[in-house]
Amino acid sequence: MNAGPIRGRGILEIPGIAVGHAGQFAPHRLTGVTAVLPPPGAQVGVDVRGGGPATHETDVIAPGTHSYGADAIVLTGGSALGLQSVSGVVATLAEAGRGFPAPGLADTVIPLVPAAAIFDLGRGDGTARPPTHDDGVAAAHSALQPTHEGAEPISVRGSLGAGLGARSGMQTMRSSLGSVSIRLPSGYIVAALVVANPLGTIGTPDGTLWAHPLLRSYGFDLPGIGHLPAAPVSTAEATSAKNTTIAIVATNATLDPAQVTRMASGAHAGIARAVHPSHTLFDGDTVFSIATGEVDLPTDFAASTLDQVSITAAAADALSLAVIDAHVAAAPVEDSWDQPPTLSDIAPEFAQAFAALD
């Protein structure tokens, strides 16, 4: 197995994880929801760092709880209003029999579905149209649907699902959903899926990326991005910005609840390396984590600890690269009165080179 990052199928490079999307990509409405289903028995964690989070059921996956895990993790648009989409995911999973067995109630399951939302309200025609219960139903059905021969494969990047209305740099550039995986020499796969919608920008004043040193460390010598659109600087414009980066990092390693939570915590460095500023009072930056348990850690304490450090470091790297991927993959919106440019519009050579990392 070759080491290093690839775009490939992103988080779907990890066996057992399923993804589904729903939403609307139209000039009048740009928002959606993404449902990620861990395989049965996977451990999950979460770490919230932003000053303005919109989350649901994050406490139930904290270390020290019953450690059941989660039946799905939802990333959604619509801020707190978009969390209504979670009810659609829960209802669909319950109907499919996926959930925590309700004590004393035969044939009743309770799906546990933690979630986080970005603020994309009003993107499109300026009207607040957040994801709905029905959008959650559609995303869950999409994730549950087996892939048939000849069927269109599920994508994990671009303007779809929760990434439909994403922007960055105080809304000066379109962003979207991004995903990158990293294969470690030890056999672990680590991946990130991100909805990159930050207050901050991915570009430095000299026309490179904040994450450029990371790209060089992996041997990628990519073109510069030039000067990105100038962000508003007034207090009024800054406080009205609509932000938050939400992500899921995942690995095929076997981690316990504390270890998988540590992976989520360490992965936040990936946001900080790719976006400046990050984790602000105007962002609700939240990272979930999944460990599917396919590959066991060494039994030796020192070797196990070293592998945990390597996995967490790779999760941060994958998240940085996924933030870039989300900008490279963003699609333009036709016939819309209020849509900023994409990174491909601004730096086509860079976008083409990054897309070729497959």
Side-chain angles (χ1 to χ4, degrees), residues 192-210:
L193 175 74
V194 66
V195 183
N197 185 63
L199 173 80
T201 178
I202 61 170
T204 69
D206 64 0
T208 60
L209 294 164
W210 291 106

Side-chain angles (χ1 to χ4, degrees), residues 84-299:
Q84 64 185 311
S85 65
V86 179
S87 67
V89 176
V90 170
T92 303
L93 294 181
E95 188 177 280
R98 295 181 63 136
F100 182 76
L105 296 172
D107 302 321
T108 300
V109 297
I110 305 171
L112 300 184
V113 184
I118 66 165
F119 197 129
D120 61 1
L121 291 170
R123 291 179 187 164
D125 66 0
T127 304
R129 294 188 176 98
T132 64
H133 173 96
D134 289 345
D135 289 322
V137 169
H141 276 305
S142 174
L144 288 168
Q145 184 70 29
T147 302
H148 301 292
E149 186 175 349
E152 187 73 20
I154 289 289
S155 178
V156 289
R157 65 175 54 88
S159 297
L160 72 171
L164 283 165
R167 298 182 183 179
S168 69
M170 293 190 185
Q171 305 184 63
T172 59
M173 186 165 62
R174 275 191 58 73
S175 182
S176 68
L177 193 72
S179 193
V180 168
S181 66
I182 293 177
R183 298 173 182 268
L184 298 178
S186 49
Y188 304 114
I189 305 173
V190 183
L193 175 74
V194 66
V195 183
N197 185 63
L199 173 80
T201 178
I202 61 170
T204 69
D206 64 0
T208 60
L209 294 164
W210 291 106
H212 207 72
L214 172 64
L215 288 164
R216 284 200 302 265
S217 73
Y218 277 108
F220 301 136
D221 188 16
L222 301 180
I225 59 171
H227 294 289
L228 301 183
V233 294
S234 75
T235 302
E237 289 173 303
T239 54
S240 67
K242 306 170 183 180
N243 313 296
T244 292
T245 294
I246 52 180
I248 300 171
V249 293
T251 180
N252 62 344
T254 301
L255 303 178
D256 65 26
Q259 292 165 344
V260 76
T261 300
R262 173 55 58 183
M263 180 172 72
S265 176
H268 271 281
I271 299 176
R273 282 204 301 261
V275 176
H276 180 79
S278 65
H279 304 101
T280 75
L281 286 173
F282 303 125
D283 291 278
D285 298 339
T286 300
V287 178
F288 295 97
S289 54
I290 301 171
T292 65
E294 184 183 26
V295 180
D296 290 337
L297 297 177
T299 55

